[in-house]
Amino acid sequence: MRQRAITARLLTAHGITGLGDGLWFTVWAVYLTRIRGFPAAEMGVGMGLGSGIGLLAVLPMGVLADRAGPRILLVALSAARATAVVGFVWVDSLWSLILASAVSAGAQSAAGGVRVTLVCKLTAQESRLRVLAQSRVVQHISYALGGLAGGAVLTVGTATPFFAALLVTAAAYLAAAGLTSRVPHVPPVPQARQHVATRAVRDWPFLAVMLATAPLTLCWAMLSTGLPVWVFQATAAPPWTSAFAVVVSSLAIALLQVRFTEGAKRVVNAVRAARWAGIFLALACLLYATGAWPRSTLLAFAVLAAGVVAMFVGELFFVSCRWGLSLRLMARDAEGQYQGVVATTESAVSAVGPAVVTGLLAGAGAGGWLILAGIVLVPVLPVPALVRRALRTRQRAGFASVAESE
C-alpha cells in the first residue's frame, strides 16, 4: 500500500474518532444527571474513580503494543471504547458507572500512545511529526463537528436523542476500528529484540523529561474549566468569552499545528519549544488574572482575549515539544511502552487538572492564576539539562533510539 493511502486511512480513522469524542464529551454529563438520574456529586465520584482505574491500564497497553503489534491493539481499544459507550445506556448504579468509566477512560488514554506508535511504525522518520500534527488538525475539526451535533442533542433535551447520540458515538468508534484494520499489519517486535516490560519506566532520564513537561497539559483544564468559571465569577467580560476562546483555539490549532510541529523535528528545537510553552502558558495565566480588574466589559474581554492568544500559542509549543522529545528519545523496539509513559503522564495531569484549576481559583482567586503560572513555568526550566543528560546516557550505553536507527 502506498504511503499516501496509509496516511489517509490513519487520518480518516482519527477524524472519525474525533467526531465521536466531540459528540460524547458534549453530552455525557447532562445525560448521566438528567437522563440516568445520577446526582452530580455521585456522577463526579463515579467518573473520577473510573478514570483513575482506567489510567492503570495505559502502561501495560503500551507494552502490549510492542508484544502484539500496535495496529491490532488500536483496533481492540477502539472496539472497547464502543462497548463502554453502549454500556452507559444501561448504567443504573455507582458501580456500573465506575466500570463503564474505567473501560472508556482506560481505552481512550491507552489509544493515544498506541496510535503514536502505529504512526511511527508505518511512516518514515522525516514525516512522522507532520502526520501526527495533521492528525491533530483533523481531530479538532471533527471534534468541533461532533460538538455541534451534541449541542443539537442538548437543545432537544429528551431521552431519545441522548440514546441516539451514544449509539452514534459507538458506531463512530467501530468505524474507526474497521478503517484502522485496513492499514498494513505491523508485526510484533521479535522476541529476541523485546525489551523488559519495565524498560521505559526505568529509563529515568526519559521519565524526567516527560514528568517535567507533563504539567503543561494543564493548558487543557485551564481552557475547558478554569476560564469559563473565571469569566462568570470574577470578570466583567461577556459570558460568551469562554466559547470564543474554544473557537479561536481550535482554529489556531487547525491552521498552525503542522507548522509548529515541523519546527520541533530537531531535539534542540523541541527543547526550545518546551521553554516557550511554559513562558506563553504562564503569560496566559497572568493575563487571565489581570482580566478580573477592568470594570469595562470591552477592556476585560480584550485582556482575556490576549490571554487566549498566549494560551493557544503555548499549547501549540507544548504539543510540538512532547512529540519532538518523546519520538527522539524513545528506544527502538520499545516504542509502545515509551509512548505508554507519555500517555500516562498526560492522562494523569488531565485527570486531576480540572480539580486543581478550580480549587486554586476558588481558594485564591487571581492568586490561583499566579500559582498556575508557576506550575507550568518552573518545571520546564531544567528541561535543557534533563535532555542533555538523556542524550549522554544514551551515548554511553550505546542506546539505539528510533531517530538514530533510521
Side-chain angles (χ1 to χ4, degrees):
M1 184 182 297
R2 293 183 178 180
Q3 186 62 57
R4 182 176 296 181
I6 295 172
T7 301
R9 289 185 181 181
L10 289 171
L11 295 180
T12 304
H14 197 34
I16 295 172
T17 299
L19 187 68
D21 288 344
L23 180 55
W24 167 243
F25 290 121
T26 302
V27 305
W28 71 264
V30 176
Y31 166 75
L32 290 174
T33 53
R34 182 186 299 177
I35 307 301
R36 301 308 300 172
F38 285 94
E42 185 178 359
M43 178 197 70
V45 170
M47 295 295 284
L49 286 176
S51 297
I53 295 170
L55 190 61
L56 300 176
V58 179
L59 276 174
M61 290 296 104
V63 175
L64 189 58
D66 296 324
R67 304 288 173 87
R71 187 193 71 170
I72 189 173
L73 184 57
L74 185 56
V75 170
L77 289 171
S78 297
R81 293 192 70 188
T83 302
V85 170
V86 173
F88 278 105
V89 173
W90 290 284
V91 292
D92 57 1
S93 67
L94 178 61
W95 295 111
S96 62
L97 179 61
I98 292 173
L99 176 61
S101 175
V103 175
S104 177
Q108 177 196 356
S109 298
V114 175
R115 183 177 292 107
V116 174
T117 304
L118 182 61
V119 170
C120 288
K121 294 290 189 179
L122 291 177
T123 58
Q125 178 192 336
E126 63 272 11
S127 61
R128 287 172 186 164
L129 285 176
R130 171 174 284 274
V131 172
L132 289 172
Q134 289 172 338
S135 72
R136 191 161 192 257
V137 170
V138 170
Q139 178 196 28
H140 269 72
I141 294 173
S142 58
Y143 190 96
L145 295 175
L148 289 174
V153 172
L154 295 176
T155 300
V156 176
T158 57
T160 299
F162 279 98
F163 290 126
L166 266 62
L167 295 179
V168 170
T169 299
Y173 295 154
L174 288 176
L179 196 56
T180 302
S181 69
R182 297 182 61 192
V183 302
H185 172 65
V186 177
V189 176
Q191 189 169 3
R193 300 208 312 263
Q194 287 180 2
H195 295 264
V196 295
T198 56
R199 176 69 179 87
V201 295
R202 291 190 298 145
D203 186 348
W204 292 108
F206 178 85
L207 195 59
V209 173
M210 292 301 105
L211 289 174
T213 53
L216 298 171
T217 309
L218 283 172
C219 66
W220 297 329
M222 293 178 194
L223 179 64
S224 65
T225 306
L227 184 59
V229 171
W230 189 244
V231 167
F232 275 99
Q233 295 185 353
T235 78
W240 46 262
T241 300
S242 55
F244 164 84
V246 172
V247 172
V248 169
S249 179
S250 296
L251 289 174
I253 289 168
L255 294 173
L256 300 173
Q257 187 66 74
V258 174
R259 180 177 300 178
F260 272 70
T261 303
E262 287 281 350
K265 282 185 175 181
R266 299 176 59 207
V267 172
V268 63
N269 292 338
V271 170
R272 289 172 184 160
R275 289 185 295 182
W276 281 117
I279 291 171
F280 274 99
L281 292 180
L283 175 60
C285 292
L286 298 179
L287 288 169
Y288 289 159
T290 306
W293 296 104
R295 293 299 90 194
S296 163
T297 298
L298 183 60
L299 184 56
F301 173 77
V303 173
L304 293 180
V308 170
V309 173
M311 178 71 71
F312 74 66
V313 173
E315 181 181 350
L316 289 165
F317 276 123
F318 150 61
V319 173
S320 301
C321 84
R322 292 279 287 188
W323 281 335
L325 292 174
S326 67
L327 265 60
R328 291 286 174 170
L329 297 177
M330 66 185 182
R332 184 174 176 83
D333 295 326
E335 294 91 342
Q337 59 172 295
Y338 272 80
Q339 288 303 317
V341 168
V342 177
T344 298
T345 55
E346 289 183 4
S347 297
V349 176
S350 295
V352 302
V356 170
V357 171
T358 54
L360 286 173
L361 295 183
W369 285 115
L370 302 183
I371 296 172
L372 286 168
I375 291 175
V376 296
L377 179 60
V378 173
V380 300
L381 297 180
V383 165
L386 293 174
V387 172
R388 285 195 296 269
R389 181 191 174 204
L391 293 173
R392 285 197 303 269
T393 58
R394 279 145 175 74
Q395 292 170 352
R396 287 198 301 266
F399 187 97
S401 71
V402 173
E404 293 167 345
S405 59
E406 296 184 353

